Amino acid sequence: MPGGGPVIRTSATGARAPRITDVAALAGVSPGTASKALNGTGSLRAETRDRVREAARQLGFTPDSRGRSLSSGRSYAVGLITTDSSGRFSIPVMTGAEDALSAGELMLLLCDTRDDPLRERHYLRTLAARRVDGLIVTGRRTEPREPVQVGVPVVYAFNPSTDPEDMSVVVDDRDGAVQAVQHLLGLGRRRIVHLTGPQRHRSAGDRAAGVVEAAGSALAAEPWFGEWSERLGRQGLDLALRRVPDLDAVVCGSDQIARGVCDRLRELGRSVPGEVAVTGFDNWPVMAEASRPPLTTVDLELTELGRRAAQLLIDAIDGRPHRGLLRLPTRLVARASTLGE
């Protein structure tokens, strides 16, 4: 081993890829020990594992995924099942999950069911055939869903399982609404109304409950429930002004609603936030940042939610399962619709 390292012979076409025997030689261990260290198997000292991994890094060695799977009995792949065809909620969740999974050298397989139970069953069978190590289940709504029947660990992200024994990671919608109202109260607003989505949607109900809790006597009318749309913002504002002509703040259940409110206020010649401050919910860039003025809104922190879900799934795959419901905090993003330019 001249120069303290293995000799990697080359051909006329260039250097061959390093092998496990090269890594073992550089680390001063047997090929079997090197394989165990890189695959995370066997009872090895942390010092030995670190030395082997450093040797692999120096040589640019990439373990063969097929051999890794055969030696460990794992596929090193995780499935993500979603009902969110638009990707508005599932893409940030997927991004966070990939951040956590890639650190553990796991691959993510995305399956969009389009809210079709038959398609979901097909994907579950397909993922089972691929012998995925675990599954993340997510969607576009926060209503609890029936658990999936698979033989691997499952974590539910954004929309929880109806089984309290399952591991579910969700957004704290209620606290997000409380943050928005407290922000407005801190700015001196005292005539607040709330416009939100369908009352049958859990997220709308949770957000309305947070507004009622935080606003107290500053809530000038009962919450208005409707649809998640700019139209609701425009029409809802007109109704609110008839009942509360001196309103000075509108807390909206979504950024779409808030953008409609801002557009209607501008048409009526009322300044935002000079006369009326407006807050949204979701921090959806296409709405929040393009609104006139840009919206103060509540960020659901879905990337962090995806990351936490993946970390919990990795724990379960490693034999350390978690149970129950985990609520993650939201974050208020203050912009011109409450603070001014």
Side-chain angles (χ1 to χ4, degrees):
M1 202 165 57
V7 176
I8 301 179
R9 302 186 183 279
T10 64
S11 67
T13 58
R16 68 164 172 80
R19 298 171 180 167
I20 191 68
T21 52
D22 302 319
V23 175
L26 182 58
V29 299
S30 70
T33 297
S35 178
K36 290 176 183 177
L38 293 174
N39 291 330
T41 59
S43 300
L44 303 178
R45 290 181 298 177
E47 172 190 341
T48 302
R49 291 188 191 279
D50 291 343
R51 191 166 72 250
V52 171
R53 288 169 180 166
E54 176 59 21
R57 187 194 66 77
Q58 290 181 25
L59 295 173
F61 174 77
T62 302
D64 178 69
S65 60
R66 291 170 297 177
R68 186 186 186 203
S69 297
L70 288 171
S71 65
S72 65
R74 291 177 50 184
S75 66
Y76 291 90
V78 166
L80 188 148
I81 293 276
T82 180
T83 62
D84 177 27
S85 299
S86 70
R88 178 179 166 192
F89 300 103
S90 61
I91 287 178
V93 170
M94 180 185 69
T95 299
E98 282 187 324
D99 287 345
L101 293 170
S102 61
E105 299 183 356
L106 279 81
M107 177 176 63
L108 188 68
L109 304 174
L110 175 64
C111 300
D112 173 20
T113 70
R114 306 178 197 173
D115 243 348
D116 181 349
L118 291 176
R119 189 180 292 269
E120 179 175 287
R121 288 196 288 272
H122 163 71
Y123 281 133
L124 290 172
R125 288 193 299 269
T126 301
L127 292 170
R130 289 177 176 268
R131 301 180 64 188
V132 294
D133 295 331
L135 195 64
I136 297 173
V137 177
T138 188
R140 66 177 185 273
R141 297 268 295 275
T142 60
E143 280 71 27
R145 57 154 293 155
E146 289 297 314
V148 297
Q149 303 301 319
V150 290
V152 295
V154 180
V155 173
Y156 298 83
F158 195 62
N159 57 333
S161 168
T162 54
D163 186 344
E165 289 299 305
D166 287 334
M167 184 68 241
S168 299
V169 188
V170 300
V171 169
D172 194 338
D173 277 308
R174 185 176 184 132
D175 183 65
V178 169
Q179 289 182 55
V181 172
Q182 289 177 339
H183 172 69
L184 292 169
L185 294 175
L187 295 173
R189 306 293 171 156
R190 293 295 181 269
R191 300 286 287 168
I192 298 172
V193 299
H194 180 50
L195 306 178
T196 193
Q199 195 163 12
R200 69 180 183 278
H201 287 193
R202 170 174 282 202
S203 56
D206 288 347
R207 294 170 189 184
V211 171
V212 172
E213 172 192 333
S217 61
L219 189 64
E222 290 295 313
W224 271 271
F225 292 92
E227 59 186 23
W228 306 111
S229 70
E230 292 178 66
R231 180 175 62 181
L232 184 277
R234 298 168 62 88
Q235 295 177 348
L237 177 71
D238 285 341
L239 293 172
L241 285 171
R242 291 173 195 168
R243 186 175 299 182
V244 190
D246 59 344
L247 65 86
D248 61 7
V250 184
V251 179
C252 300
S254 76
D255 293 335
Q256 292 165 285
I257 295 172
R259 185 165 172 175
V261 167
C262 288
D263 287 348
R264 184 59 179 152
L265 284 167
R266 187 169 60 252
E267 291 172 359
L268 295 173
R270 303 184 69 163
S271 67
V272 178
E275 295 178 71
V276 182
V278 180
T279 65
F281 216 106
D282 297 335
N283 198 26
W284 188 17
V286 71
M287 286 288 166
E289 296 175 6
S291 176
R292 297 172 54 196
L295 294 172
T296 290
T297 184
V298 176
D299 194 309
L300 301 181
E301 299 280 41
L302 292 178
T303 300
E304 177 60 21
L305 185 145
R307 186 179 295 112
R308 291 292 295 276
Q311 289 167 343
L312 290 165
L313 184 61
I314 291 170
D315 284 350
I317 293 169
D318 290 341
R320 303 187 306 276
H322 303 266
R323 305 293 180 194
L325 187 70
L326 174 62
R327 291 188 186 278
L328 296 185
T330 55
R331 176 174 59 92
L332 184 76
V333 180
R335 296 193 181 96
S337 68
T338 60
L339 299 179
E341 300 294 341

